[in-house]
Amino acid sequence: MKTTLRNLLPATALVAALAFTPGCVSQKKYTALQTQNTELTSSRDRLQAEKNALEQEKNRTEEELRQRLVSRSQQVSQLNETLSGAEKTNSQLSADLKEREQRLAELQTKLAEKDRAVQALRKRVADALLGFNAQDLQVNLRNGKVYVSLSEQLLFKSGSTKVDPRGQEALRKLATALKGNQDVNVLVEGHTDNVPILKGTASIRDNWDLSVLRATEITRILTESGMTAAQVTPSGRSQYVPVAQNDTPQNKALNRRTEIILTPKLDELFQILEQN
């Protein structure tokens, strides 16, 4: 048995020696190089893939930036157009405002002229009618108009439509003061109390008829005294516009009156208002 083992030792040593021969060393290097080559190839492929991914990301980013730039350029263009339009609009608004201010100034000037004309008209009428009793004839300024209020006592007998001589005198003086003044409209309003007209009164059915006929008679006297017929309008208000309650003889007397309302023509003012 010992002999057999001893005989095998040289063979084992031979195998070990063969393992360290030059051929075996080259094979190990080759295997190592192959392994290294495989790793390098894998690294290269990985790097190439990363490069491709980065290039795609770069392209996407560039496209997004390009689109944003286009969008921003469009927005800037729209803003410029809007600003340009706004400037034009502001310019137009400024011109319109300036024109309106001029019209307003013109309107204010005309209103001031109208007020002065009304004041002058009131003074002229009041001066022309100075000699009459204040209870029978009053000249007042209301709402930009001149009101000449004449009592029934000055103008008419009870139930009559014929103007008394003293009333005719007042009307002629008023017509003289207004003669030639075509810028004034004249409205003659007849008023009564609420006492019904006596049945059987000739040509007069009620207070409507009485107020209209009295206004017509006064209009006739004014125009015959020189006023232009086209500027005088008769109107009957009957008992429906009283200045006092119809509860006493004194108040009823106040309501039995004729009001001559003088209104300056406002055509120029209306034209200015229409332009605004």
Side-chain angles (χ1 to χ4, degrees):
M1 189 65 180
K2 290 181 180 180
T3 302
T4 303
L5 291 173
R6 191 181 297 116
N7 292 333
L8 292 174
L9 286 173
T12 304
L14 179 60
V15 173
L18 287 173
F20 291 97
T21 60
C24 289
V25 173
S26 295
Q27 183 63 34
K28 287 182 178 180
K29 288 184 178 180
Y30 176 74
T31 300
L33 289 173
Q34 275 189 327
T35 301
Q36 186 178 10
N37 181 61
T38 300
E39 292 175 352
L40 290 173
T41 299
S42 177
S43 296
R44 183 198 65 188
D45 293 342
R46 185 174 63 254
L47 290 172
Q48 185 64 41
E50 292 177 356
K51 176 186 176 186
N52 292 340
L54 288 173
E55 287 182 350
Q56 291 177 356
E57 181 65 25
K58 172 176 170 286
N59 291 335
R60 283 196 302 271
T61 301
E62 288 179 348
E63 180 63 20
E64 289 179 359
L65 290 174
R66 187 187 68 79
Q67 292 179 356
R68 289 182 182 179
L69 181 60
V70 171
S71 177
R72 292 294 185 272
S73 297
Q74 292 175 347
Q75 291 178 3
V76 169
S77 297
Q78 291 176 354
L79 285 174
N80 287 334
E81 291 177 1
T82 301
L83 288 174
S84 177
E87 289 176 356
K88 292 180 180 178
T89 301
N90 289 336
S91 177
Q92 184 63 41
L93 288 174
S94 178
D96 291 344
L97 180 60
K98 185 176 181 180
E99 183 178 358
R100 285 180 177 273
E101 288 176 347
Q102 291 175 346
R103 290 177 181 173
L104 179 60
E106 184 180 357
L107 180 61
Q108 290 174 335
T109 300
K110 293 297 182 183
L111 284 171
E113 291 176 357
K114 177 253 182 186
D115 289 341
R116 288 194 294 270
V118 171
Q119 293 286 355
L121 178 63
R122 179 192 176 281
K123 185 177 186 305
R124 185 163 67 250
V125 170
D127 290 346
L129 301 174
L130 273 177
F132 293 89
N133 191 321
Q135 293 181 346
D136 293 333
L137 191 154
Q138 296 180 359
V139 180
N140 297 307
L141 185 62
R142 299 200 306 267
N143 302 321
K145 303 176 183 180
V146 177
Y147 283 73
V148 181
S149 183
L150 303 102
S151 70
E152 181 191 49
Q153 181 177 350
L154 174 65
L155 297 175
F156 304 100
K157 292 182 172 62
S158 179
S160 173
T161 60
K162 181 176 176 58
V163 180
D164 290 343
R166 184 65 170 160
Q168 292 183 27
E169 179 186 355
L171 294 174
R172 283 194 292 269
K173 287 186 175 182
L174 176 61
T176 300
L178 297 176
K179 188 183 302 183
N181 192 341
Q182 300 299 317
D183 293 331
V184 177
N185 290 319
V186 180
L187 177 63
V188 181
E189 285 189 350
H191 298 265
T192 69
D193 57 22
N194 64 347
V195 178
I197 295 295
L198 293 176
K199 292 182 179 181
T201 303
S203 304
I204 300 177
R205 291 179 54 191
D206 52 27
N207 283 326
W208 280 118
D209 280 348
L210 179 61
S211 63
V212 170
L213 291 172
R214 284 180 169 180
T216 302
E217 182 65 19
I218 290 171
T219 298
R220 186 175 291 109
I221 293 173
L222 291 174
T223 55
E224 288 175 351
S225 300
M227 293 195 66
T228 303
Q231 72 182 116
V232 186
T233 303
S235 170
R237 305 303 298 272
S238 185
Q239 64 198 43
Y240 300 106
V241 190
V243 293
Q245 294 291 330
N246 284 294
D247 52 2
T248 66
Q250 292 78 12
N251 284 345
K252 289 180 180 181
L254 291 176
N255 290 329
R256 296 191 301 270
R257 70 199 188 279
T258 298
E259 289 188 337
I260 301 176
I261 305 170
L262 312 177
T263 306
K265 293 182 179 179
L266 305 177
D267 296 345
E268 292 184 3
L269 291 177
F270 290 144
Q271 289 176 359
I272 297 173
L273 288 172
E274 288 175 359
Q275 292 174 355
N276 283 279

